[in-house]
Amino acid sequence: MSIQILGMVSTAYGSESAGWRGPVVDPGYLADFARAHEESGFDRALIAHSASSPEGFAAAAHVLYSTERLGVLIAQRPGFIQPTLTARKLATLDNLTGAGRVAIHHITGGSDTDQRRDGDFADKRARYRRTAEFIDVLRRTLTSDEPFDHEGEFYRFEGAFSSVKPQGEVPIFFGGQSDDAIRVGGQWADVYALWGEPLAQTRDRIDVIRAEAARHGREIGFSLSVRPIVAETEDAAWEKADGIRRAFEDNLAHKGGGTWRIGRGENTAVGAKRLKDEAAEKLVHDERLWFGVTQLTDGGGNSTALVGTPQQVADALLKYYDLGVRTFLIRGFDPLADVRDWGRELVPLLRAGAAAREETPVAAGRGR
């Protein structure tokens, strides 16, 4: 398949603009949310991670057992679970739920405050070195037919081995925008995750990361994370975006519920600074890439939005496809309702546009 469409599920209802309600873990809601992604034609759903949120592997298992086809992308931070055990957890889930439904996303951590909640006091450069070593051992554990020894800066194993191997591929996603991140991701990742930046900046990042991967004799895929705001007309979509921003401002003022209770601390990630700088430059880039919510945040997380009709948003996403992006992670501000809405028009339009490009790949510079 030429394109992968990912969503994001949570264990309880909520967003920055809608607020949060209900228990922190609502099994029925999570199952409904997962099934909505499957029914709307998504390939996977991201299980996010923070040092105060519900545990991702358990949530992923619930998603997998609540659906028949939908895959999961489990976010995790290297340093808290041994890579050998992580590999066995992934392979076991793959065997129990169907080949190819499990993927992992490595996040090195942009907030020292949040890292320290789980007892990690390493600085960011050390964390990136640890991530590289973690992925190396993880991949070897998933694939090695014989026990192996490993002695590195952060991990030491004798006779490491997993008797359970995944039946399908377990894609390794990775994100980060610093020079250290690019060195790690270029060497080790299967898919490099990018925030929704303007086209010119995205093209530049793809070129830099591809060059780093080529230094290691590798090719690498790309994912783009963005939040569509869709309505029947363009004017209605912009009105919807304004309403989302007002609701977000109101929630910030009242600090109501959910994840507002515990902040993640200062975000020092390079990618977060890039988004903040782009938001300060102007609120709308490339006609419909909107930074209205990004302006209100620390720049971290998936906050930039594409605003317009389903066709306009699909066309905007396909411009990133033309740059080489093949995986799109889209999530909404009214999460469950948006997923159901996108399944009617946006997802089919995006798939049709990608299929048409595969049939007639004539545009110069189109990625692989």
Side-chain angles (χ1 to χ4, degrees), residues 4-271:
Q4 291 276 303
I5 301 177
L6 277 59
M8 177 176 162
V9 295
S10 57
T11 60
Y13 175 85
S15 76
E16 306 93 328
S17 56
W20 282 264
R21 62 174 180 260
V24 175
V25 177
D26 183 337
Y29 175 79
L30 179 57
D32 288 344
F33 204 178
R35 285 191 286 265
H37 279 84
E38 183 164 82
E39 292 162 2
S40 293
F42 284 72
D43 296 291
R44 293 188 190 277
L46 171 68
I47 314 293
H49 176 92
S50 80
S52 57
S53 60
E55 196 279 321
F57 274 88
H62 191 67
V63 168
L64 292 166
Y65 283 115
S66 298
T67 56
E68 296 180 359
R69 177 194 56 80
L70 186 72
V72 293
L73 175 61
I74 306 170
Q76 66 94 44
R77 293 174 182 167
F80 303 103
I81 304 175
Q82 294 286 5
T84 49
L85 175 56
T86 303
R88 299 199 307 277
K89 288 163 70 74
L90 292 167
T92 302
L93 265 182
D94 176 87
N95 278 261
L96 288 172
T97 61
R101 296 180 69 191
V102 178
I104 188 166
H105 178 45
H106 294 87
I107 47 176
T108 302
S111 165
D112 290 341
T113 300
D114 207 48
Q115 294 291 127
R116 290 169 183 171
R117 287 196 179 101
D118 273 334
D120 181 22
F121 288 81
D123 63 40
K124 187 177 289 186
R125 297 200 71 178
R127 295 202 297 264
Y128 274 116
R129 296 196 306 274
R130 183 176 63 195
T131 296
E133 189 175 343
F134 185 100
I135 298 175
D136 180 19
V137 174
L138 174 81
R139 198 187 296 275
R140 291 172 68 187
T141 307
L142 287 171
T143 60
S144 178
D145 292 328
E146 300 290 338
F148 64 90
D149 296 341
H150 172 88
E151 185 168 355
E153 180 181 1
F154 301 95
Y155 299 104
R156 180 181 178 183
F157 303 99
E158 293 182 357
F161 181 72
S162 174
S163 61
V164 56
K165 297 291 192 291
Q167 297 178 349
E169 181 185 4
V170 178
I172 293 175
F173 285 61
F174 173 88
Q177 291 297 311
S178 68
D179 292 341
D180 288 331
I182 290 169
R183 283 191 290 270
V184 173
Q187 183 174 3
W188 296 106
D190 298 317
V191 181
Y192 205 110
L194 304 171
W195 296 127
E197 293 191 80
L199 291 163
Q201 286 88 329
T202 301
R203 181 186 297 108
D204 290 344
R205 302 315 287 170
I206 287 175
D207 288 345
V208 168
I209 296 162
R210 275 188 174 147
E212 180 63 26
R215 287 201 324 110
H216 301 281
R218 308 180 65 245
E219 294 184 355
I220 192 167
F222 294 93
S223 169
L224 183 87
S225 298
V226 71
R227 301 180 76 163
I229 299 175
V230 173
E232 290 186 7
T233 68
E234 184 173 8
D235 286 346
W238 284 111
E239 290 175 7
K240 187 176 178 179
D242 288 340
I244 288 169
R245 180 184 169 97
R246 289 194 300 271
F248 193 173
E249 289 177 312
D250 185 62
N251 279 335
L252 283 173
H254 293 90
K255 296 186 183 298
T259 58
W260 299 112
R261 295 172 187 165
I262 300 178
R264 296 189 183 186
E266 181 185 3
N267 193 321
T268 60
V270 171

Side-chain angles (χ1 to χ4, degrees), residues 269-335:
V270 171
K273 183 181 185 305
R274 287 170 61 88
L275 292 181
K276 285 294 287 183
D277 289 346
E278 288 155 1
E281 179 186 344
K282 54 184 178 180
L283 289 186
V284 180
H285 295 253
D286 298 334
E287 187 178 9
R288 63 188 68 261
L289 181 65
W290 183 61
F291 284 72
V293 167
T294 308
Q295 189 184 52
L296 303 176
T297 72
D298 64 1
N302 181 0
S303 59
T304 54
L306 286 169
V307 183
T309 67
Q311 186 66 66
Q312 288 172 329
V313 171
D315 289 343
L317 287 167
L318 289 166
K319 291 179 181 178
Y320 292 96
Y321 183 97
D322 292 341
L323 298 181
V325 174
R326 293 295 179 269
T327 300
F328 294 89
L329 195 160
I330 55 176
R331 69 182 180 103
F333 290 98
D334 188 357

